[in-house]
Short mmCIF file of all heavy atoms in Angstrom, two decimals:
data_model
loop_
_atom_site.label_atom_id
_atom_site.label_comp_id
_atom_site.label_asym_id
_atom_site.label_seq_id
_atom_site.Cartn_x
_atom_site.Cartn_y
_atom_site.Cartn_z
N LYS A 1 166.02 109.71 36.28
CA LYS A 1 167.47 109.90 36.15
C LYS A 1 167.91 111.35 36.33
O LYS A 1 168.94 111.62 36.94
CB LYS A 1 167.97 109.37 34.80
CG LYS A 1 168.58 108.00 34.91
CD LYS A 1 169.26 107.60 33.63
CE LYS A 1 170.01 106.28 33.88
NZ LYS A 1 170.62 105.78 32.66
N GLU A 2 167.13 112.28 35.84
CA GLU A 2 167.54 113.68 35.94
C GLU A 2 167.51 114.19 37.39
O GLU A 2 168.12 115.20 37.71
CB GLU A 2 166.66 114.58 35.06
CG GLU A 2 165.21 114.63 35.45
CD GLU A 2 164.41 115.57 34.56
OE1 GLU A 2 164.67 116.79 34.60
OE2 GLU A 2 163.52 115.06 33.83
N TYR A 3 166.80 113.45 38.28
CA TYR A 3 166.71 113.84 39.69
C TYR A 3 167.67 113.05 40.57
O TYR A 3 167.75 113.31 41.77
CB TYR A 3 165.28 113.64 40.20
CG TYR A 3 164.26 114.42 39.41
CD1 TYR A 3 163.39 113.76 38.53
CD2 TYR A 3 164.17 115.80 39.51
CE1 TYR A 3 162.45 114.47 37.79
CE2 TYR A 3 163.25 116.52 38.77
CZ TYR A 3 162.39 115.85 37.91
OH TYR A 3 161.47 116.56 37.18
N ARG A 4 168.39 112.11 40.00
CA ARG A 4 169.29 111.26 40.79
C ARG A 4 170.32 112.13 41.51
O ARG A 4 170.96 113.00 40.94
CB ARG A 4 169.98 110.25 39.88
CG ARG A 4 170.84 109.25 40.66
CD ARG A 4 171.28 108.11 39.75
NE ARG A 4 172.39 107.36 40.34
CZ ARG A 4 172.26 106.45 41.29
NH1 ARG A 4 171.07 106.17 41.76
NH2 ARG A 4 173.31 105.83 41.78
N GLY A 5 170.47 111.89 42.81
CA GLY A 5 171.43 112.65 43.63
C GLY A 5 170.88 113.95 44.18
O GLY A 5 171.55 114.62 44.96
N LYS A 6 169.65 114.30 43.81
CA LYS A 6 169.05 115.55 44.29
C LYS A 6 168.12 115.25 45.46
O LYS A 6 167.58 114.15 45.57
CB LYS A 6 168.28 116.24 43.17
CG LYS A 6 169.19 116.71 42.04
CD LYS A 6 168.41 117.38 40.95
CE LYS A 6 169.35 117.83 39.82
NZ LYS A 6 168.60 118.41 38.68
N PRO A 7 167.92 116.23 46.36
CA PRO A 7 167.02 116.00 47.51
C PRO A 7 165.58 115.82 47.05
O PRO A 7 165.19 116.32 45.98
CB PRO A 7 167.19 117.27 48.35
CG PRO A 7 167.65 118.31 47.39
CD PRO A 7 168.47 117.60 46.36
N PHE A 8 164.81 115.13 47.85
CA PHE A 8 163.40 114.91 47.53
C PHE A 8 162.60 116.19 47.74
O PHE A 8 162.91 116.99 48.62
CB PHE A 8 162.82 113.82 48.45
CG PHE A 8 163.43 112.47 48.24
CD1 PHE A 8 164.30 111.95 49.18
CD2 PHE A 8 163.13 111.72 47.12
CE1 PHE A 8 164.87 110.70 49.01
CE2 PHE A 8 163.69 110.46 46.94
CZ PHE A 8 164.56 109.95 47.87
N THR A 9 161.59 116.35 46.93
CA THR A 9 160.60 117.40 47.17
C THR A 9 159.30 116.75 47.64
O THR A 9 158.53 117.33 48.39
CB THR A 9 160.34 118.25 45.91
OG1 THR A 9 160.01 117.37 44.83
CG2 THR A 9 161.59 119.05 45.55
N ASN A 10 159.07 115.53 47.20
CA ASN A 10 157.97 114.71 47.73
C ASN A 10 158.28 113.25 47.40
O ASN A 10 159.13 112.97 46.57
CB ASN A 10 156.61 115.12 47.13
CG ASN A 10 156.58 114.95 45.62
OD1 ASN A 10 156.81 113.87 45.10
ND2 ASN A 10 156.27 116.02 44.91
N ARG A 11 157.62 112.38 48.11
CA ARG A 11 157.74 110.95 47.82
C ARG A 11 156.32 110.42 47.82
O ARG A 11 155.87 109.80 48.77
CB ARG A 11 158.62 110.26 48.85
CG ARG A 11 160.02 110.84 48.87
CD ARG A 11 161.02 109.92 49.47
NE ARG A 11 161.20 108.74 48.63
CZ ARG A 11 161.89 107.66 49.03
NH1 ARG A 11 162.46 107.64 50.22
NH2 ARG A 11 162.02 106.62 48.24
N GLN A 12 155.67 110.71 46.73
CA GLN A 12 154.23 110.58 46.63
C GLN A 12 153.66 109.22 47.05
O GLN A 12 152.70 109.16 47.78
CB GLN A 12 153.82 110.90 45.19
CG GLN A 12 152.39 111.33 45.08
CD GLN A 12 152.09 111.90 43.71
OE1 GLN A 12 152.97 111.99 42.86
NE2 GLN A 12 150.87 112.27 43.47
N HIS A 13 154.27 108.14 46.59
CA HIS A 13 153.65 106.83 46.82
C HIS A 13 154.44 105.94 47.77
O HIS A 13 154.11 104.77 47.93
CB HIS A 13 153.46 106.12 45.48
CG HIS A 13 152.62 106.89 44.51
ND1 HIS A 13 151.28 107.12 44.71
CD2 HIS A 13 152.94 107.52 43.35
CE1 HIS A 13 150.79 107.84 43.71
NE2 HIS A 13 151.78 108.11 42.87
N LEU A 14 155.49 106.48 48.40
CA LEU A 14 156.34 105.65 49.24
C LEU A 14 155.56 104.99 50.38
O LEU A 14 155.59 103.77 50.55
CB LEU A 14 157.50 106.46 49.82
CG LEU A 14 158.38 105.69 50.83
CD1 LEU A 14 159.14 104.57 50.12
CD2 LEU A 14 159.34 106.62 51.55
N MET A 15 154.85 105.78 51.18
CA MET A 15 154.15 105.23 52.34
C MET A 15 153.01 104.30 51.92
O MET A 15 152.79 103.26 52.54
CB MET A 15 153.64 106.35 53.24
CG MET A 15 154.75 107.15 53.91
SD MET A 15 155.93 106.13 54.83
CE MET A 15 154.90 105.46 56.12
N GLU A 16 152.33 104.65 50.85
CA GLU A 16 151.27 103.79 50.33
C GLU A 16 151.84 102.42 49.96
O GLU A 16 151.29 101.37 50.33
CB GLU A 16 150.64 104.45 49.10
CG GLU A 16 149.55 103.63 48.44
CD GLU A 16 149.05 104.26 47.14
OE1 GLU A 16 149.47 105.39 46.80
OE2 GLU A 16 148.25 103.61 46.47
N ARG A 17 152.96 102.43 49.27
CA ARG A 17 153.60 101.18 48.83
C ARG A 17 154.10 100.36 50.01
O ARG A 17 153.89 99.15 50.09
CB ARG A 17 154.76 101.52 47.88
CG ARG A 17 155.50 100.33 47.32
CD ARG A 17 156.47 100.74 46.22
NE ARG A 17 157.30 101.88 46.55
CZ ARG A 17 158.40 101.80 47.28
NH1 ARG A 17 158.79 100.66 47.79
NH2 ARG A 17 159.12 102.88 47.52
N LEU A 18 154.76 101.03 50.98
CA LEU A 18 155.30 100.32 52.14
C LEU A 18 154.20 99.75 53.03
O LEU A 18 154.32 98.64 53.55
CB LEU A 18 156.22 101.24 52.94
CG LEU A 18 157.56 101.58 52.31
CD1 LEU A 18 158.33 102.59 53.17
CD2 LEU A 18 158.41 100.34 52.08
N CYS A 19 153.13 100.51 53.22
CA CYS A 19 152.01 100.03 54.04
C CYS A 19 151.36 98.81 53.40
O CYS A 19 151.02 97.83 54.08
CB CYS A 19 150.97 101.13 54.25
SG CYS A 19 151.51 102.44 55.38
N LYS A 20 151.21 98.86 52.08
CA LYS A 20 150.63 97.72 51.36
C LYS A 20 151.53 96.50 51.49
O LYS A 20 151.07 95.39 51.76
CB LYS A 20 150.44 98.10 49.89
CG LYS A 20 149.67 97.08 49.09
CD LYS A 20 149.37 97.57 47.69
CE LYS A 20 148.56 96.54 46.92
NZ LYS A 20 148.27 96.99 45.54
N LYS A 21 152.82 96.70 51.33
CA LYS A 21 153.78 95.60 51.46
C LYS A 21 153.77 95.01 52.87
O LYS A 21 153.90 93.79 53.05
CB LYS A 21 155.19 96.12 51.11
CG LYS A 21 156.26 95.05 51.06
CD LYS A 21 157.59 95.64 50.63
CE LYS A 21 158.69 94.60 50.65
NZ LYS A 21 160.00 95.19 50.29
N ALA A 22 153.61 95.86 53.88
CA ALA A 22 153.61 95.41 55.27
C ALA A 22 152.26 94.83 55.69
O ALA A 22 152.15 94.21 56.75
CB ALA A 22 153.98 96.57 56.19
N GLY A 23 151.24 95.06 54.87
CA GLY A 23 149.90 94.55 55.19
C GLY A 23 149.22 95.30 56.31
O GLY A 23 148.47 94.72 57.10
N VAL A 24 149.48 96.63 56.40
CA VAL A 24 148.85 97.44 57.44
C VAL A 24 148.02 98.56 56.81
O VAL A 24 148.19 98.86 55.62
CB VAL A 24 149.90 98.06 58.40
CG1 VAL A 24 150.73 96.96 59.06
CG2 VAL A 24 150.80 99.06 57.68
N ARG A 25 147.17 99.14 57.61
CA ARG A 25 146.35 100.27 57.13
C ARG A 25 147.27 101.43 56.76
O ARG A 25 148.20 101.75 57.50
CB ARG A 25 145.37 100.67 58.22
CG ARG A 25 144.38 101.71 57.79
CD ARG A 25 143.39 101.97 58.91
NE ARG A 25 142.47 103.02 58.54
CZ ARG A 25 141.54 103.48 59.34
NH1 ARG A 25 141.39 102.98 60.55
NH2 ARG A 25 140.74 104.45 58.93
N GLU A 26 146.97 102.08 55.66
CA GLU A 26 147.85 103.15 55.16
C GLU A 26 147.91 104.34 56.11
O GLU A 26 146.90 104.77 56.65
CB GLU A 26 147.37 103.61 53.78
CG GLU A 26 148.30 104.59 53.12
CD GLU A 26 147.82 105.02 51.73
OE1 GLU A 26 147.04 104.28 51.10
OE2 GLU A 26 148.22 106.11 51.30
N PHE A 27 149.11 104.86 56.30
CA PHE A 27 149.32 106.11 57.04
C PHE A 27 150.44 106.88 56.35
O PHE A 27 151.20 106.33 55.57
CB PHE A 27 149.66 105.84 58.52
CG PHE A 27 150.91 105.04 58.76
CD1 PHE A 27 152.14 105.66 58.92
CD2 PHE A 27 150.86 103.65 58.83
CE1 PHE A 27 153.30 104.92 59.15
CE2 PHE A 27 152.00 102.90 59.06
CZ PHE A 27 153.22 103.54 59.23
N GLY A 28 150.50 108.17 56.63
CA GLY A 28 151.47 109.03 55.96
C GLY A 28 152.59 109.49 56.86
O GLY A 28 152.69 109.10 58.03
N PHE A 29 153.45 110.33 56.31
CA PHE A 29 154.62 110.82 57.05
C PHE A 29 154.21 111.55 58.33
O PHE A 29 154.81 111.36 59.38
CB PHE A 29 155.44 111.78 56.18
CG PHE A 29 156.16 111.10 55.05
CD1 PHE A 29 155.84 111.39 53.73
CD2 PHE A 29 157.18 110.19 55.29
CE1 PHE A 29 156.52 110.78 52.68
CE2 PHE A 29 157.86 109.57 54.25
CZ PHE A 29 157.53 109.87 52.94
N HIS A 30 153.18 112.41 58.24
CA HIS A 30 152.84 113.23 59.41
C HIS A 30 152.29 112.38 60.55
O HIS A 30 152.43 112.74 61.72
CB HIS A 30 151.84 114.32 59.03
CG HIS A 30 151.79 115.44 60.03
ND1 HIS A 30 152.81 116.36 60.18
CD2 HIS A 30 150.87 115.76 60.98
CE1 HIS A 30 152.52 117.21 61.14
NE2 HIS A 30 151.34 116.86 61.65
N ALA A 31 151.70 111.25 60.21
CA ALA A 31 151.18 110.35 61.24
C ALA A 31 152.30 109.81 62.12
O ALA A 31 152.08 109.48 63.28
CB ALA A 31 150.41 109.21 60.60
N ILE A 32 153.52 109.74 61.58
CA ILE A 32 154.66 109.26 62.37
C ILE A 32 155.00 110.27 63.46
O ILE A 32 155.33 109.91 64.59
CB ILE A 32 155.88 108.97 61.46
CG1 ILE A 32 155.51 107.90 60.43
CG2 ILE A 32 157.09 108.55 62.28
CD1 ILE A 32 156.56 107.68 59.35
N ARG A 33 154.87 111.55 63.15
CA ARG A 33 155.06 112.61 64.15
C ARG A 33 154.02 112.47 65.27
O ARG A 33 154.34 112.60 66.45
CB ARG A 33 154.95 113.97 63.45
CG ARG A 33 155.11 115.20 64.32
CD ARG A 33 155.16 116.42 63.41
NE ARG A 33 154.86 117.65 64.11
CZ ARG A 33 155.74 118.35 64.82
NH1 ARG A 33 156.99 117.93 64.94
NH2 ARG A 33 155.39 119.47 65.41
N HIS A 34 152.78 112.19 64.89
CA HIS A 34 151.73 111.96 65.87
C HIS A 34 152.07 110.75 66.74
O HIS A 34 151.83 110.77 67.96
CB HIS A 34 150.39 111.69 65.17
CG HIS A 34 149.79 112.90 64.53
ND1 HIS A 34 148.44 113.06 64.35
CD2 HIS A 34 150.35 114.03 64.02
CE1 HIS A 34 148.18 114.21 63.77
NE2 HIS A 34 149.34 114.82 63.55
N LEU A 35 152.62 109.72 66.12
CA LEU A 35 152.99 108.51 66.87
C LEU A 35 154.04 108.83 67.93
O LEU A 35 153.95 108.35 69.06
CB LEU A 35 153.50 107.43 65.91
CG LEU A 35 154.01 106.14 66.56
CD1 LEU A 35 152.92 105.46 67.39
CD2 LEU A 35 154.55 105.19 65.49
N THR A 36 155.05 109.62 67.57
CA THR A 36 156.09 109.99 68.55
C THR A 36 155.46 110.68 69.75
O THR A 36 155.77 110.35 70.90
CB THR A 36 157.14 110.91 67.89
OG1 THR A 36 157.66 110.28 66.73
CG2 THR A 36 158.27 111.22 68.85
N ALA A 37 154.55 111.64 69.49
CA ALA A 37 153.88 112.34 70.59
C ALA A 37 153.06 111.37 71.44
O ALA A 37 153.06 111.45 72.67
CB ALA A 37 152.98 113.44 70.02
N SER A 38 152.40 110.43 70.78
CA SER A 38 151.58 109.45 71.49
C SER A 38 152.44 108.56 72.39
O SER A 38 152.06 108.27 73.53
CB SER A 38 150.83 108.59 70.47
OG SER A 38 150.14 107.55 71.11
N LEU A 39 153.59 108.15 71.91
CA LEU A 39 154.49 107.30 72.70
C LEU A 39 154.98 108.04 73.94
O LEU A 39 155.03 107.48 75.04
CB LEU A 39 155.66 106.81 71.86
CG LEU A 39 155.30 105.87 70.70
CD1 LEU A 39 156.52 105.59 69.83
CD2 LEU A 39 154.71 104.58 71.22
N LEU A 40 155.34 109.31 73.78
CA LEU A 40 155.76 110.13 74.92
C LEU A 40 154.63 110.25 75.94
O LEU A 40 154.83 110.11 77.14
CB LEU A 40 156.19 111.52 74.45
CG LEU A 40 157.51 111.60 73.68
CD1 LEU A 40 157.64 112.96 73.01
CD2 LEU A 40 158.69 111.35 74.60
N TYR A 41 153.45 110.51 75.43
CA TYR A 41 152.26 110.68 76.27
C TYR A 41 151.97 109.42 77.07
O TYR A 41 151.74 109.47 78.27
CB TYR A 41 151.07 111.05 75.37
CG TYR A 41 149.79 111.34 76.11
CD1 TYR A 41 149.54 112.59 76.66
CD2 TYR A 41 148.80 110.36 76.21
CE1 TYR A 41 148.35 112.86 77.32
CE2 TYR A 41 147.61 110.62 76.87
CZ TYR A 41 147.39 111.87 77.42
OH TYR A 41 146.21 112.13 78.07
N ARG A 42 152.02 108.28 76.39
CA ARG A 42 151.73 107.00 77.06
C ARG A 42 152.76 106.65 78.13
O ARG A 42 152.45 105.98 79.11
CB ARG A 42 151.66 105.86 76.04
CG ARG A 42 150.33 105.80 75.32
CD ARG A 42 150.22 104.57 74.49
NE ARG A 42 151.28 104.49 73.51
CZ ARG A 42 151.31 103.61 72.53
NH1 ARG A 42 150.36 102.72 72.40
NH2 ARG A 42 152.30 103.59 71.66
#
């Protein structure tokens, strides 16, 4: 509650939780940047 409305400094378990929910191998925020580069390359 004390952080409500404030910008994030980290979101420690977000990607872990979402990957588990989606049933995929876990990846983090920086891997998405790699994915963008990979899509351009391909």
Side-chain angles (χ1 to χ4, degrees):
K1 261 190 173 176
E2 65 178 295
Y3 302 107
R4 185 169 164 78
K6 295 180 181 176
F8 295 106
T9 53
N10 62 57
R11 300 201 66 190
Q12 203 168 359
H13 302 293
L14 175 67
M15 293 306 295
E16 178 186 354
R17 181 170 47 81
L18 288 176
C19 288
K20 188 174 182 181
K21 186 177 177 183
V24 302
R25 187 176 177 182
E26 187 179 337
F27 61 90
F29 290 115
H30 199 71
I32 300 171
R33 179 172 160 83
H34 289 208
L35 176 60
T36 305
S38 174
L39 294 173
L40 289 167
Y41 183 82
R42 280 188 302 190

